[in-house]
Amino acid sequence: MPSDLEALWITVKLALISTALLLLVTPPLAWWLAHSRARWRPLAEALVALPLILPPTVLGFYLLLLFSPQYFPGQTYQALTGSTLAFSFTGLVLGSMLYSLPFVVQPLQAAFTTLGKGELEAAATLGMSKLQRFTHVVFPMTRHSFVLAGMLGFAHTLGEFGVVLMIGGNIPGETQVIAITLFEHVEALEYVRAHVLAAGLLITSLVLLLFIYVGMDRRKRRWGYW
Amino acid sequence: MGLLVVAMRLELALAGKLGEFEFDLQLDQVMDGALGVFGPSGVGKTSLIRAIAGLERGLPGRIVLDGEVLQDTAAGIFVPIDKRRIGLVFQDSRLFPHLTVRQNLALALRQTRQPIFSIQELAHECCFSELLDQPAPSLSAGQRQRVAIARALIAAPRLLLLDEPLAALDMASRQHLLDFLQRVSARIPLLFISHSVAETLQLCDPIAVMTSGRIAQIGPGEAMAPSLPKRRGLGTVVAVDPASGQVTIQLDEFAPDLALAQVVGVVSEPSWLKGRE
């Protein structure tokens, strides 16, 4: 049981850290996708959406290669920190960020697309810099989409399995997450412990989604839009 | 109000296409008081002020304000909008919907180090003191436009561009705001776009007339008045002949010239006409 709690803690920590990082890092990408007229934007959009349909093991396989010391990213990381990127919590965070990327980017992109440029032009003529326009106009006007993006990213990372299996190495206390612990319980025929984890994940995901949909509904009723 | 104003010069030479529309805008004007830009819809008045504000990157050429080069396409100069200190009142207000009226003004006030107006003063002048703590989206179109004018002013721009700012207002507040803008123009030069002859004549001197994509004429208000189209005025009935149904009407100076057998529309109550032009 303590190993289950440990796995739960790793999972929540992983989901929180990767979601927070995604929310910090991806708004410029979402903004670019929403407004760019570059010819290769559809390619960028397709790449962002790829984790939606790609088997997680495929993503995990390539990440495993990239993270290994034979290749440049893994090599650089090892040279800088002295430890390997594969089978580490940091590697897991990077993998989760890619895995949950579309769940965070797409709601933000949709919000930025519908935001329109009127208020932003007005802000600029008042003398507000790009950063001020983001913090004082864009973010407050789209903060509900930031909440939605964060919740979706968090919920999606909670259920991560394939990517973690490939790059995590299932090290208790370091890279062992609940989805894999659950799998191990089933393999060991420990159905009671499997039930606890499975039902826990099921209920958590359902509650998160309920929060999202109730919030969207209420906003739609009040403002006529999400 | 009523400080010494050092006249500033606006030089403009822009030529090019925006979409299918051809522009050739030439202007060299000392901005002192209110410059009116008059013209029917679709001649590019809005594009002109968007270019001056820095919102239109598609028009190549040169813009110099007060000796500072704001745009020089040949030299690769384009001063970003937020560095120009040119205010703009949009036709559609564009208040920040997540803020109250007061917060909209406060945010604009924070953008200047030398404020000219206070929130209270502008709320009083533009008649929305009682609306200060309302959320911006709850305001009517006319109220929003009054707040938008105040918001642009409170950021203390060195030049204020106004795009049909009074279009959404009723007659009484139009007159009130025209008087206010008149006083403002003694401190901040204005460039006022309108397709209302009466508004342009009352507030602006000089007046520029635009025809498709170019500034066709510019001159003192009095000199330009006769060449402005008269479109809408008042008539006073001076004689009625019930037997024949013929009515003699005395037209005022803004009323269009009528010809024999011309069919015209008639309303009995002038306030039903949105703004007397």
Side-chain angles (χ1 to χ4, degrees):
Chain A
M1 215 55 179
S3 76
D4 284 8
L5 282 179
E6 209 166 46
L8 178 67
W9 165 235
I10 295 285
T11 311
V12 171
K13 190 168 82 170
L14 177 67
L16 279 176
I17 291 177
S18 10
T19 309
L21 285 176
L22 276 174
L23 284 175
L24 279 177
V25 171
T26 58
L29 171 66
W31 186 266
W32 183 83
L33 287 175
H35 293 109
S36 166
R37 278 181 233 146
R39 217 182 286 164
W40 50 282
R41 197 208 63 203
L43 177 65
E45 233 171 340
L47 282 174
V48 167
L50 210 49
L52 287 176
I53 51 164
L54 205 64
T57 42
V58 174
L59 184 62
F61 173 64
Y62 286 118
L63 284 177
L64 184 63
L65 291 184
L66 282 178
F67 287 178
S68 76
Q70 277 94 324
Y71 290 88
F72 181 71
Q75 210 172 28
T76 316
Y77 184 82
Q78 197 163 23
L80 288 175
T81 64
S83 52
T84 57
L85 190 51
F87 314 124
S88 73
F89 185 73
T90 312
L92 222 54
V93 169
L94 288 175
S96 306
M97 284 173 69
L98 279 177
Y99 173 67
S100 296
L101 185 68
F103 288 82
V104 175
V105 169
Q106 288 184 348
L108 294 183
Q109 185 188 342
F112 293 159
T113 306
T114 49
L115 182 64
K117 58 179 186 168
E119 286 85 0
L120 289 174
E121 287 188 348
T125 61
L126 292 172
M128 291 163 75
S129 67
K130 270 191 180 148
L131 184 66
Q132 286 177 310
R133 276 176 259 164
F134 182 80
T135 53
H136 288 109
V137 183
V138 176
F139 180 68
M141 282 180 74
T142 55
R143 63 176 192 279
H144 294 88
S145 297
F146 275 84
V147 174
L148 172 71
M151 281 176 134
L152 283 175
F154 182 81
H156 189 235
T157 312
L158 278 188
E160 187 170 336
F161 182 79
V163 178
V164 185
L165 201 62
M166 295 298 263
I167 62 169
N170 202 19
I171 305 165
E174 172 77 15
T175 60
Q176 189 177 56
V177 298
I178 35 179
I180 295 177
T181 315
L182 168 66
F183 181 72
E184 285 189 334
H185 287 327
V186 175
E187 279 213 306
L189 302 175
E190 298 164 340
Y191 277 31
V192 178
R193 295 180 70 180
H195 266 305
V196 173
L197 285 183
L201 264 184
L202 181 74
I203 292 168
T204 312
S205 305
L206 185 65
V207 167
L208 268 175
L209 286 175
L210 262 175
F211 260 109
I212 292 171
Y213 285 113
V214 167
M216 273 165 81
D217 228 31
R218 204 175 284 163
R219 220 176 128 69
K220 226 180 268 167
R221 241 178 286 136
R222 198 179 311 157
W223 300 104
Y225 65 92
W226 159 250
Chain B
M1 297 224 276
L3 277 170
L4 179 73
V5 173
V6 182
M8 99 181 17
R9 189 167 153 208
L10 174 64
E11 297 165 67
L12 193 81
L14 298 169
K17 266 188 166 184
L18 282 180
E20 288 300 295
F21 202 81
E22 192 99 41
F23 282 92
D24 182 10
L25 297 164
Q26 310 289 337
L27 185 73
D28 186 349
Q29 185 65 40
V30 172
M31 298 298 293
D32 180 16
L35 165 67
V37 175
F38 180 86
S41 321
V43 293
K45 300 190 295 291
T46 299
S47 299
L48 167 72
I49 59 166
R50 285 179 63 86
I52 297 173
L55 291 166
E56 208 59 80
R57 279 183 169 268
L59 267 182
R62 215 174 124 81
I63 302 174
V64 183
L65 180 65
D66 208 12
E68 186 195 347
V69 179
L70 296 180
Q71 180 182 339
D72 190 338
T73 313
I77 298 173
F78 192 94
V79 176
I81 315 160
D82 50 297
K83 300 276 183 298
R84 294 193 178 195
R85 289 193 50 227
I86 297 177
L88 175 48
V89 178
F90 296 85
Q91 229 170 331
D92 51 348
S93 329
R94 304 191 178 180
L95 300 183
F96 304 127
H98 56 289
L99 300 177
T100 63
V101 171
R102 190 192 301 278
Q103 288 165 334
N104 264 278
L105 297 176
L107 186 53
L109 184 59
R110 276 167 50 188
Q111 309 307 321
T112 177
R113 269 184 231 127
Q114 283 124 11
I116 304 178
F117 303 97
S118 71
I119 292 181
Q120 296 304 332
E121 190 182 352
L122 282 173
H124 174 72
E125 290 283 9
C126 302
C127 310
F128 57 78
S129 301
E130 73 286 0
L131 300 172
L132 272 173
D133 294 306
Q134 300 282 324
S138 70
L139 270 53
S140 74
Q143 292 169 334
R144 263 180 240 177
Q145 201 57 355
R146 283 184 273 147
V147 176
I149 293 171
R151 187 182 64 173
L153 279 172
I154 210 162
R158 52 179 167 170
L159 167 68
L160 181 63
L161 313 168
L162 301 114
D163 189 0
E164 300 273 0
L166 310 179
L169 271 59
D170 59 67
M171 281 212 289
S173 19
R174 250 178 218 226
Q175 195 47 56
H176 185 87
L177 272 219
L178 272 175
D179 293 340
F180 173 61
L181 289 174
Q182 187 110 52
R183 280 178 282 134
V184 166
S185 70
R187 305 186 67 175
I188 301 173
L190 309 179
L191 193 155
F192 184 87
I193 284 189
S194 175
H195 56 233
S196 154
V197 178
E199 278 172 17
T200 310
L201 279 176
Q202 189 187 334
L203 179 64
C204 306
D205 191 7
I207 293 172
V209 174
M210 272 189 81
T211 55
S212 65
R214 57 183 64 235
I215 294 164
Q217 260 183 301
I218 182 161
E222 285 166 37
M224 298 296 288
S227 61
L228 299 182
K230 299 178 199 167
R231 300 194 309 154
R232 203 199 272 173
L234 297 183
T236 311
V237 177
V238 290
V240 182
D241 182 358
S244 66
Q246 285 189 351
V247 175
T248 310
I249 294 173
Q250 178 78 50
L251 299 175
D252 74 357
E253 54 183 313
F254 302 114
D257 299 321
L258 303 179
L260 190 64
Q262 185 178 345
V263 178
V264 296
V266 174
V267 290
S268 55
E269 179 51 63
S271 64
W272 291 351
L273 294 169
K274 203 181 164 199
R276 178 176 169 280
E277 295 183 13

